[in-house]
Amino acid sequence: MNVSQLHSNFAEIQYELNRVLEGIKSGRILESFDILSKVTDAVVVSCEALGLASELPVVETLHRDNFWQALNRCWLVALQNVSAAQREEDRLRKEHIVHLQASVEHWADVLAEFGLVDYEMGFWEADIMDSLDNILKSLHSQDAGGAAGMAVDTALYPLDTIKTRLQAKAGFIASGGFRGIYSGLSSAILGSAPGASLFFLTYEKTKSLMSSLPEHQQPLVHMFAASAGEIAACLVRVPTEVVKQRLQAKQHKTLAEAVRGTFLAEGLLGFYRGYLTQVVREIPFTCIQFPIYEYMKLWYARRKQRAIQSWEAALCGSVAGGIAAALTTPLDVVKTRVMLSTKGAGGQKPEYTGIVSTLSRVAREEGARALFSGIVPRTIWISIGGFVFLGSYEKVKETLLRAKLFSHS
């Protein structure tokens, strides 16, 4: 862009802003922010020459307030669409956001000398910085959630295998006993980071959208946010969970065999067998766990009159997770039975399908006690998992805060 042209040609500014908007629509996010930054920088450097520092119209058809409205709205539209990148190379990353924050602060400092950091006639620094902060927080949630998910799934996998085999209709010994307790780990690892990232990204975003609700309604906010997070995360978790549990129950020997066998028998929908049962299990679980977790953190912080540390948050997560795990074990048994059921030869229906029918059948044929199969390893696994998972999340969050990779808000 030729800055000298901008000194006398506002049509050039409008042309460049239109390029930005077209680029955003096309998913060229990084390129669009580059153009927008250059336009804004040129405007800031030349604000006096452009007549933006006076009270007179800058040109006959363009008043100062209209100009600033156009520039600011272009920034906000661009920031609202940062996730619309079509290709990996078009994505806006943390280093780009940090650079943009520094640029916005610099532009605001220069424009403040002319009284041009203002909602009616000037640069909307506060709104733009708030949007940048929220984007960094979302990126952080993905990183922290992914790290936490990987830590839990790898460390506690044997307990998960034991729980699955206890819940299988074939029984613990027939399903493998204590042999091959790491069967299916590769599937769990493939889904852990993206699933956890998607959960925390949705959870934090939903909490942010509902932040204006009064404090006495915060437990409802946490329930709703956690439920939304689980529904989103299950889109990733269920396919990997189906493959993992079939490997754990020794229905297949290798990951490739499990994927191929599931696809040939049931098609793509086979990988989503038990999606509804998993969601129905996860929503009550999170509606119990996260309000308890958030309440315990708040109660402890108020009692100590300081911010809670990551290891203390981990203890809160452990207690909350253990309570939720024990109470939702029957739904977990249903999920396991449904996911382990496959179509028989000639398209025969799976042995277990619906949630209510599976609950009643297990209770009728095996007794109510069978609905709590695996409760001990499940409670231990999720109690330790809550400590590691939420502790890792809080620790990564704390580390990124100290490194100033995203701001407090």
Side-chain angles (χ1 to χ4, degrees):
M1 180 188 303
N2 189 335
V3 175
S4 63
Q5 280 186 300
L6 295 179
H7 291 183
S8 57
N9 190 356
F10 278 90
E12 177 72 10
I13 297 175
Q14 188 61 54
Y15 170 76
E16 296 295 337
L17 294 181
N18 286 336
R19 279 185 66 200
V20 171
L21 296 175
E22 287 299 321
I24 293 294
K25 287 181 182 177
S26 302
R28 301 192 306 274
I29 306 301
L30 193 57
E31 176 190 326
S32 298
F33 272 96
D34 183 54
I35 296 171
L36 185 54
S37 296
K38 289 177 179 177
V39 170
T40 308
D41 195 61
V43 167
V44 171
V45 170
S46 311
C47 66
E48 285 188 283
L50 289 167
L52 294 172
S54 69
E55 295 182 1
L56 299 174
V58 291
V59 291
E60 185 177 348
T61 58
L62 183 63
H63 290 265
R64 283 200 304 161
D65 56 345
N66 293 333
F67 169 79
W68 286 115
Q69 286 273 344
L71 180 63
N72 289 318
R73 292 194 184 283
C74 191
W75 267 101
L76 294 181
V77 167
L79 289 168
Q80 288 167 1
N81 288 277
V82 291
S83 61
Q86 298 295 317
R87 301 175 301 172
E88 185 69 19
E89 57 265 34
D90 289 325
R91 286 180 56 200
L92 214 60
R93 304 185 186 280
K94 286 177 187 168
E95 58 268 26
H96 301 135
I97 301 296
V98 172
H99 178 71
L100 285 172
Q101 285 182 316
S103 297
V104 169
E105 289 179 351
H106 168 69
W107 296 330
D109 288 343
V110 174
L111 292 171
E113 297 177 10
F114 303 102
L116 293 174
V117 180
D118 182 81
Y119 277 102
E120 292 185 6
M121 200 169 293
F123 187 55
W124 294 353
E125 179 199 14
D127 281 358
I128 293 170
M129 287 297 284
D130 281 348
S131 295
L132 289 168
D133 287 346
N134 287 332
I135 292 168
L136 271 180
K137 182 178 285 189
S138 294
L139 292 173
H140 143 74
S141 295
Q142 295 179 51
D143 287 349
M150 189 71 73
V152 173
D153 287 339
T154 302
L156 303 178
Y157 193 78
L159 283 173
D160 183 42
T161 300
I162 292 169
K163 179 219 55 153
T164 297
R165 291 174 179 177
L166 284 168
Q167 293 177 346
K169 186 181 181 182
F172 180 70
I173 300 300
S175 297
F178 289 102
R179 293 178 288 106
I181 56 175
Y182 280 95
S183 298
L185 177 60
S186 54
S187 178
I189 289 175
L190 286 173
S192 64
S197 296
L198 193 54
F199 171 82
F200 276 113
L201 180 61
T202 307
Y203 178 69
E204 294 288 353
K205 183 64 176 177
T206 305
K207 278 205 306 180
S208 175
L209 291 173
M210 302 176 72
S211 60
S212 60
L213 292 177
E215 185 174 350
H216 71 274
Q217 293 183 0
Q218 288 307 299
L220 294 176
V221 171
H222 297 142
M223 287 182 186
F224 187 82
S227 299
E230 289 295 353
I231 291 171
C234 281
L235 293 172
V236 174
R237 286 178 184 165
V238 170
T240 58
E241 186 77 4
V242 167
V243 172
K244 181 199 76 173
Q245 289 206 312
R246 291 179 181 184
L247 285 167
Q248 287 175 325
K250 296 298 182 182
Q251 292 183 358
H252 301 282
K253 294 180 180 179
T254 66
L255 176 62
E257 181 186 313
V259 171
R260 184 170 58 253
T262 300
F263 180 75
L264 291 175
E266 304 170 76
L268 287 175
L269 289 179
F271 294 102
Y272 282 91
R273 172 165 297 285
Y275 177 83
L276 182 59
T277 56
Q278 176 129 342
V279 169
V280 168
R281 182 200 69 172
E282 298 293 4
I283 288 179
F285 178 87
T286 53
C287 284
I288 296 169
Q289 181 190 32
F290 274 84
I292 294 174
Y293 172 61
E294 298 283 0
Y295 174 79
M296 288 183 69
K297 286 198 303 177
L298 182 62
W299 171 81
Y300 192 82
R302 285 177 174 172
R303 183 176 180 180
K304 293 292 184 179
Q305 296 185 335
R306 60 169 173 78
I308 192 168
Q309 297 179 25
S310 57
W311 69 270
E312 294 167 331
L315 286 173
C316 296
S318 178
V319 174
I323 294 170
L327 293 176
T328 57
T329 296
L331 293 173
D332 189 55
V333 171
V334 171
K335 185 217 67 155
T336 299
R337 295 292 178 95
V338 171
M339 284 188 173
L340 291 179
S341 298
T342 58
K343 286 185 178 180
Q348 185 181 353
K349 287 183 64 176
E351 189 174 7
Y352 296 97
T353 52
I355 300 167
V356 176
S357 63
T358 302
L359 269 172
S360 59
R361 181 178 171 182
V362 171
R364 184 177 66 253
E365 295 180 357
E366 303 171 50
R369 185 175 181 179
L371 292 173
F372 289 89
S373 300
I375 188 172
V376 174
R378 173 172 163 78
T379 302
I380 294 172
W381 164 48
I382 292 180
S383 294
I384 300 173
F387 185 92
V388 178
F389 187 53
L390 294 169
S392 299
Y393 175 72
E394 295 290 347
K395 186 62 180 178
V396 173
K397 182 176 178 180
E398 180 184 313
T399 301
L400 292 177
L401 278 168
R402 287 178 177 172
K404 298 181 179 179
L405 289 179
F406 78 104
S407 64
H408 292 278
S409 61

